[in-house]
Amino acid sequence: MMSILRNSILVALIALVLPAQAQDELDKRLVNTSAEQQVRDAVKSPEPSVVHLWAPWCSNCQAELKSGGWLKMVKANPQVKFYFVSVWNDGGDGKSMLQRYQIADQPNVTILVDPGPRRGDNKIKEFAGLPVSWIPTTWVYKGGDLHYALNYGEVRFDVLQQFLEDSKNEWSHKGEPKLAE
């Protein structure tokens, strides 16, 4: 009798745990897709957009925040939308750190999170169709086109500002002579 009761309890526990785990995995995939989809949709804007992949535990990311560069950049460019996407952070969005540096509540800032694992071979290696091999990573878009990609480390904010200025201009080489092959 005890064995039947024990088995019944075990089956009931398994029935409760498995759907919860499956739902957790589904939630992670939906949130992940949602963050990527939000970025893909947002960067189609005719105005420049900045996508910044970061994590609160990353010392390079912390250095960027401590310098005050991001806050100055966001405030100096109110027409630019900034997307801070926390990656490799086990689903944490890092919002409290962004609030500490007065970035989170700026009207042109959106905070997104990739819920994927931070460690090991399973961590994301691509976001919105671009490779992710290091953080911080910063991308500048305009009209759906990637204009600049800073894929390896801390951004120099004077360079990022120049990239934003350059992105406001129309790029065209119509009428210019082609180079000889």
Side-chain angles (χ1 to χ4, degrees), residues 5 8 19 21 23 32-33 49 51 57 59 63 67-68 72 79 85 93 131-133 137 139 157 168-170 172 175:
L5 179 59
S8 297
Q21 288 175 336
Q23 185 63 47
N32 182 25
T33 302
S49 302
V51 177
W57 54 263
S59 60
S67 75
K72 289 176 191 169
Q79 75 289 358
V85 184
D93 63 10
V132 178
S133 59
T137 287
W139 300 321
F157 292 101
K168 291 177 186 174
N169 299 323
E170 293 299 320
S172 175

Side-chain angles (χ1 to χ4, degrees), residues 2-180:
M2 188 60 141
S3 178
I4 294 173
L5 179 59
R6 196 175 312 151
N7 285 342
S8 297
I9 292 172
L10 183 58
V11 167
L13 286 173
I14 290 171
L16 289 172
V17 171
L18 285 180
Q21 288 175 336
Q23 185 63 47
D24 286 348
E25 288 303 312
L26 178 60
D27 289 348
K28 284 181 182 180
R29 279 184 270 139
L30 288 174
V31 171
N32 182 25
T33 302
S34 176
E36 284 193 64
Q37 192 58 52
Q38 281 182 280
V39 166
R40 288 177 190 269
D41 292 343
V43 299
K44 293 176 184 173
S45 167
E47 293 298 322
S49 302
V50 174
V51 177
H52 183 63
L53 304 179
W54 76 292
W57 54 263
C58 167
S59 60
N60 295 63
C61 300
Q62 290 174 12
E64 288 179 335
L65 292 170
K66 289 177 192 173
S67 75
W70 276 116
L71 181 60
K72 289 176 191 169
M73 183 65 52
V74 167
K75 285 185 167 188
N77 296 283
Q79 75 289 358
V80 175
K81 293 295 251 170
F82 292 84
Y83 299 89
F84 283 77
V85 184
S86 177
V87 297
W88 301 346
N89 196 36
D90 296 330
D93 63 10
K95 185 175 183 177
S96 62
M97 185 173 282
L98 294 175
Q99 285 174 322
R100 188 175 323 134
Y101 291 97
Q102 303 174 357
I103 295 168
D105 297 322
Q106 298 300 316
N108 55 336
V109 169
T110 300
I111 299 170
L112 299 169
V113 61
D114 176 86
R118 171 183 165 196
R119 297 167 202 80
D121 292 335
N122 292 328
K123 69 182 178 184
I124 65 162
K125 294 174 182 75
E126 183 179 294
F127 186 86
L130 293 173
V132 178
S133 59
W134 188 268
I135 57 173
T137 287
T138 306
W139 300 321
V140 178
Y141 286 87
K142 182 181 177 195
D145 295 326
L146 179 65
H147 282 210
Y148 297 99
L150 303 164
N151 291 330
Y152 298 103
E154 294 174 43
V155 69
R156 287 190 37 216
F157 292 101
D158 57 334
V159 172
L160 181 57
Q161 185 62 50
Q162 185 62 54
F163 288 168
L164 289 173
E165 294 302 320
D166 291 347
S167 291
K168 291 177 186 174
N169 299 323
E170 293 299 320
W171 293 358
S172 175
H173 296 283
K174 290 180 183 174
E176 293 181 14
K178 295 193 183 253
L179 294 176

